[in-house]
Amino acid sequence: MSDRLSVFKTYKLYVGGKFPRSESGRVYEVTDSKGNWLANAPLSSRKDARDAVVAARKAFGGWAGATAYNRGQILYRIAEMLEGRKAQFVREVADAEGLSKSKAADQVDAAIDRWVWYAGWTDKIAQVIGGANPVAGPYFNLSSPEPTGVVVVLAPQESSFLGLVSVVAPVIATGNTAIVIASETSPLPALSLGEVLATSDLPGGVVNVLSGRTAEIATPLAAHQDVNAIDLAGAGHDEGLAKELEIAAADNLKRVLRPQPVDYSATPGIDRMTAFLETKTVWHPTGSLGASGSSY
């Protein structure tokens, strides 16, 4: 009989393409649905949150400037990598949500398919919500979507993986960069997702994953002047926190996506993509003036 001890997994944050421990050195215990210990997760500090903003801002220019086709390839690659590590995520989702292995497998399969779904939208969303506008005058008018910038995403508390993917994938599919605050009670699938992202050709800093106390991390991020938008999906269980974050976000006119009941198993629409897109409109003269190449 072997007396070998198992090697327990060390969960770390994912910031700027690297895997730091929390700057504070703190951890907290993560338990399964029955209260049994699963792992120690990093307890992120305000410094970790600021580091994530710096990483997301640094990565934004390159990611927003990448072709939509290239972004789609990378999102598809994430699905490929998840397919190869399905067993690990099935186990983590089953433990986190108290599901049977078969039901957890359904959740993981749906999350993988969700990446593929959004990968297919990367080069189509501009055609759906952009286009030429009818105008009366000697000029033409074109509108096209552009990413908002750095988006803070509060992952759903109750859907540790499918819900997580459903709120992160649309943000980065359209060229934004993301700072993800993992489910406070079930952070392990989100932290493991960081390992997948690191090996999927996704540039470092495009997605940054923090774990810990949601209110402690989210409050300084909501007020951060270099954050452009915030998705409050994970604050739906706490109206007081949602209101506090919305007020903090008003300091520099961030876009705020308010929490709302969502069936993450249903086929998503495009609302979560359009929520974090800005519309750029270009006017250009036609006729003899337009022939000169001038525009405004």
Side-chain angles (χ1 to χ4, degrees):
M1 182 176 179
S2 173
D3 58 356
R4 178 179 178 276
L5 296 175
S6 300
V7 178
F8 290 104
K9 181 175 176 61
T10 301
Y11 288 90
K12 296 182 181 180
L13 307 177
Y14 182 57
V15 177
K18 299 179 181 180
F19 296 93
R21 301 176 189 272
S22 172
E23 171 272 338
S24 68
R26 302 176 301 167
V27 297
Y28 72 105
E29 291 189 354
V30 178
T31 58
D32 64 16
S33 58
K34 298 179 181 178
N36 300 311
W37 180 86
L38 292 174
N40 289 332
L43 196 59
S44 300
S45 67
R46 289 176 175 240
K47 174 64 164 55
D48 295 318
R50 292 195 298 271
D51 289 344
V53 174
V54 171
R57 177 57 63 192
K58 183 177 180 180
F60 174 67
W63 184 242
T67 65
Y69 177 72
N70 181 236
R71 288 200 298 268
Q73 286 181 309
I74 292 174
L75 264 64
Y76 187 86
R77 176 65 173 165
I78 294 171
E80 286 183 5
M81 301 301 291
L82 281 172
E83 190 79 35
R85 296 179 61 168
K86 186 188 299 185
Q88 173 192 348
F89 282 93
V90 168
R91 182 179 66 254
E92 290 181 342
V93 171
D95 289 340
E97 301 180 29
L99 302 176
S100 66
K101 287 296 176 66
S102 62
K103 290 184 177 179
D106 290 341
Q107 293 284 303
V108 174
D109 285 342
I112 295 171
D113 293 346
R114 190 68 35 96
W115 281 111
V116 176
W117 195 87
Y118 279 111
W121 268 102
T122 56
D123 59 355
K124 300 175 182 65
I125 189 67
Q127 282 69 44
V128 173
I129 65 173
N133 307 310
V135 292
Y139 42 78
F140 60 84
N141 180 298
L142 300 174
S143 292
S144 60
E146 292 189 343
T148 297
V150 175
V151 181
V152 173
V153 180
L154 276 63
Q157 299 294 324
E158 71 287 352
S159 184
S160 63
F161 194 53
L162 178 55
L164 167 75
V165 171
S166 297
V167 296
V168 174
V171 170
I172 66 171
T174 49
N176 298 288
T177 54
I179 300 163
V180 181
I181 302 176
S183 166
E184 184 173 329
T185 55
S186 306
L188 303 188
L191 295 174
S192 291
L193 179 62
E195 298 173 2
V196 172
L197 299 177
T199 55
S200 65
D201 302 327
L202 187 75
V206 173
V207 175
N208 306 274
V209 183
L210 304 175
S211 61
R213 308 302 179 205
T214 301
E216 181 180 353
I217 311 168
T219 301
L221 285 174
H224 200 295
Q225 297 295 299
D226 206 22
V227 169
N228 303 108
I230 184 168
D231 183 346
L232 300 177
H237 66 295
D238 188 337
E239 291 184 7
L241 175 61
K243 183 176 181 180
E244 178 185 340
L245 295 177
E246 191 169 351
I247 292 172
D251 258 1
N252 69 333
L253 300 177
K254 293 180 180 66
R255 283 199 170 197
V256 177
L257 185 60
R258 295 177 176 84
Q260 51 195 307
V262 179
D263 178 6
Y264 291 111
S265 64
T267 301
I270 64 172
D271 290 353
R272 286 193 176 275
M273 287 187 285
T274 58
F276 302 115
L277 286 172
E278 307 285 348
T279 299
K280 178 180 73 174
T281 300
V282 176
W283 298 71
H284 196 289
T286 59
S288 58
L289 181 58
S292 67
S294 60
S295 63
Y296 55 92

